[in-house]
Amino acid sequence: MLPHENQHAPSVPGSAPLPHQDNASPKLPPAPVGGTHPPVVPYPGGTFYSPEFIELLESSIQRVINEHTSGALMLVSVTNLAMIINAYGHDTSEIVIHDLIRIIQGMLREGDVVQRLQRDQLGIILTNSYPEDAAVIAGRIHTTIQNFGRDNFATAALYIMGAIGSVSFPLETTSAHDALDKVYVAVSSTQDVPYRTFDMTRAEADECRQQMGLANYLFKAFKENRLRLAYQPIIKSKTGETSYYEVLLRLVNQTGKISSAGALIPVAEKMGLIDIIDTMVMEKVIEELRQAKDLKLAFNVSNLTTDNPLWLEKISNLLRDNPDVAPRLIVEITETAAHRDLRRTALFVASLQSMGCQVALDDFGSGYTSFRQLKALSVDMVKIDGVFIKDLAQNADNRFFVKILLDFAQGFGLQTVAEFVETGDVAKTLMEMGVDCMQGYYFGKPLNHRPWLKEGGYEAD
């Protein structure tokens, strides 16, 4: 229950009414001190914040500079306001914001200001306040947000989620627009913590620029058709024959030099490009299989792709048009995908298998998949993480662990592949241990041409 009186909330359809003081229709409380609530559209000059608030912030910054003190700008974001609107409607969402403003006002000192800046954001200007003071107030606001609910025995509690950011002035900023930018960065960086001050270092800023630059570089390579496939053989342990090839992504720069694109995959995931990358690779792989009827290929998908039903729809449509391809197609997922959401990953695996594809669990052993998880996933093969393979011949502990992994997988009737096989001694040890297939530089590096053709190149691209 809120720590103040005169609470009002509209009834939730289909349930007992939420408690309020009388039976009259709830009314929104009066606008809080500090001005009206502007719409969420840019004001003249391109700012999303009211000119009045910016002017007030600018004057506060100049005052603390002149008085040789310190102040802070805080941004409080109600991160689940859309959920509240969806569950209880517009009126309740407005009551939440107004009540939150009233509570925060009670925490502030004379001269401090709280205003609503956007639909789900409150701005707080603290004068004569040092960083440690802002941290105390942020802690109180966070506690208020956590405890904010209208409990009723017949209904679930209304629950608020929030994020709080702050920036100190003049220590970290000396202008209103810069302060608003930095506090926005701070509140957008909270993630697993409810409160964060703006403390981005020059190195972090450089990293942001680098990641955006790499994302642009990758997207440009995609648009210019400079992303290519390379192929590494996977060898049958008993016969030495090539069982299939794993497809790896390569990038051709403007001078024609080919390099691995593996280092760019985390950037693609973070910057929202992995969908087009995984779709492009899937389409190219299916086209290779369509042209070479005796070929078998495997390719990796991102953990994010296992959550993407549109990707499944695309591959389903392509395989429907090329029914002979699916039995020769292996899709590799990682152990971390299973740990993120076992149920969703199991559905992804089952969907691919229903199309006729095989699914391999990559990096097996790195995440210590349990019997329950392996059974739930029902993959067709596992690829033992190369970190346990590289020094297998000399490392007794790794031999013991790999043997356990092999027994574990074979107990489920799964094919096994050992990665990073780089020497003959390691290959011999694995053969003696009963691994089904091996992959690594000892048998062949990834090739930038189609090894099953007499002449390589990218004529078909």
Side-chain angles (χ1 to χ4, degrees):
M1 191 67 66
L2 286 174
H4 61 280
E5 300 177 348
N6 298 326
Q7 299 176 66
H8 301 281
S11 300
V12 180
S15 67
L18 292 171
H20 52 79
Q21 200 170 31
D22 52 50
N23 293 324
S25 299
K27 297 180 180 179
L28 292 180
V33 176
T36 58
H37 308 311
V40 188
V41 293
Y43 284 92
T47 177
F48 282 88
Y49 305 109
S50 72
E52 293 80 10
F53 185 82
I54 294 175
E55 183 178 347
L56 181 60
L57 177 58
E58 195 72 60
S59 64
S60 298
I61 293 173
Q62 289 305 313
R63 184 165 65 253
V64 300
I65 291 175
N66 295 336
E67 296 175 357
H68 304 287
T69 60
S70 179
L73 171 66
M74 299 180 68
L75 189 63
V76 179
S77 175
V78 179
T79 55
N80 69 329
L81 189 65
M83 181 187 296
I84 295 171
I85 294 172
N86 197 36
Y88 295 109
H90 169 80
D91 288 350
T92 296
S93 72
E94 288 298 294
I95 289 172
V96 166
I97 297 296
H98 283 263
D99 281 351
L100 191 56
I101 290 174
R102 284 208 303 264
I103 298 170
I104 293 174
Q105 281 177 329
M107 301 177 185
L108 303 182
R109 297 166 297 189
E110 185 177 356
D112 295 340
V113 175
V114 55
Q115 279 193 16
R116 187 177 190 176
L117 300 185
Q118 295 189 17
R119 187 165 193 172
D120 59 352
Q121 291 183 353
L122 311 179
I124 303 170
I125 301 174
L126 304 176
T127 56
N128 195 23
S129 174
Y130 290 87
E132 55 268 24
D133 301 320
V136 170
I137 293 175
R140 292 173 182 169
I141 294 173
H142 175 58
T143 299
T144 296
I145 289 173
Q146 282 188 315
N147 296 333
F148 195 111
R150 292 173 169 80
D151 294 326
N152 185 291
F153 291 114
T155 62
L158 189 152
Y159 184 76
I160 298 180
M161 298 167 61
I164 308 169
S166 76
V167 60
S168 296
F169 52 81
L171 178 64
E172 295 166 328
T173 181
T174 57
S175 76
H177 287 284
D178 185 59
L180 287 164
D181 283 344
K182 288 180 175 178
V183 79
Y184 177 77
V185 170
V187 82
S188 300
S189 304
T190 52
Q191 296 177 346
D192 297 330
V193 294
Y195 170 65
R196 180 171 176 177
T197 60
F198 180 86
D199 57 358
M200 181 169 287
T201 64
R202 183 178 297 275
E204 289 175 316
D206 289 343
E207 183 181 356
C208 289
R209 286 190 287 269
Q210 182 185 43
Q211 288 184 345
M212 288 187 286
L214 288 173
N216 270 324
Y217 180 70
L218 183 60
F219 186 69
K220 186 177 181 181
F222 167 77
K223 295 292 287 184
E224 295 176 354
N225 196 29
R226 289 188 287 107
L227 293 177
R228 299 286 188 264
L229 305 183
Y231 309 91
Q232 187 172 28
I234 283 76
I235 305 299
K236 294 180 181 179
S237 297
K238 293 183 179 179
T239 65
E241 299 174 333
T242 298
S243 176
Y244 62 94
Y245 294 91
E246 180 180 357
V247 171
L248 302 168
L249 191 61
R250 294 291 184 262
L251 188 149
V252 183
N253 67 17
Q254 285 86 347
T255 65
K257 183 179 178 181
I258 300 175
S259 61
S260 172
L264 296 178
I265 296 304
V267 175
E269 292 179 332
K270 185 172 183 178
M271 304 300 288
L273 292 175
I274 198 62
D275 175 53
I276 62 172
I277 299 299
D278 276 357
T279 298
M280 180 212 69
V281 172
M282 175 260 291
E283 291 172 345
K284 285 180 175 289
V285 166
I286 290 178
E287 178 60 22
E288 294 293 342
L289 293 172
R290 191 184 67 81
Q291 293 189 35
K293 302 300 182 182
D294 296 326
L295 181 64
K296 188 174 183 179
L297 295 176
F299 69 100
N300 288 273
V301 293
S302 162
N303 292 343
L304 299 180
T305 296
T306 63
D307 294 339
N308 187 353
L310 293 178
W311 189 90
L312 277 175
E313 183 179 345
K314 290 174 184 176
I315 191 173
S316 176
N317 291 336
L318 284 174
L319 292 177
R320 190 179 300 116
D321 295 336
N322 302 277
D324 65 316
V325 164
R328 298 180 285 120
L329 181 61
I330 302 169
V331 179
E332 296 185 8
I333 63 173
T334 64
E335 272 197 321
T336 52
H339 292 310
R340 287 175 69 246
D341 190 331
L342 180 61
R343 183 194 63 81
R344 190 183 292 272
T345 306
L347 178 62
F348 180 82
V349 171
S351 298
L352 288 170
Q353 290 172 330
S354 70
M355 302 173 198
C357 305
Q358 289 183 292
V359 180
L361 185 63
D362 201 8
D363 301 329
F364 184 56
S366 61
Y368 305 103
T369 300
S370 68
F371 283 97
R372 181 184 69 85
Q373 290 170 323
L374 197 58
K375 184 177 181 180
L377 286 177
S378 190
V379 294
D380 301 285
M381 65 178 69
V382 294
K383 300 185 70 175
I384 300 174
D385 195 319
V387 71
F388 306 112
I389 301 298
K390 287 190 289 186
D391 61 348
L392 191 68
Q394 297 81 30
N395 192 315
D397 290 340
N398 280 356
R399 286 198 300 274
F400 176 73
F401 185 60
V402 169
K403 180 59 178 173
I404 291 176
L405 292 179
L406 288 172
D407 291 342
F408 186 36
Q410 291 165 354
F412 281 90
L414 305 177
Q415 287 183 281
T416 55
V417 180
E419 302 176 304
F420 283 83
V421 181
E422 298 180 348
T423 68
D425 289 340
V426 170
K428 181 180 178 182
T429 302
L430 286 166
M431 292 170 64
E432 292 171 349
M433 297 174 76
V435 74
D436 294 314
C437 294
M438 294 178 286
Q439 176 183 6
Y441 282 10
Y442 180 70
F443 299 103
K445 296 181 179 181
L447 299 171
N448 295 321
H449 62 83
R450 300 171 177 84
W452 55 92
L453 299 178
K454 291 183 178 179
E455 294 183 3
Y458 292 105
E459 292 83 359
D461 289 329

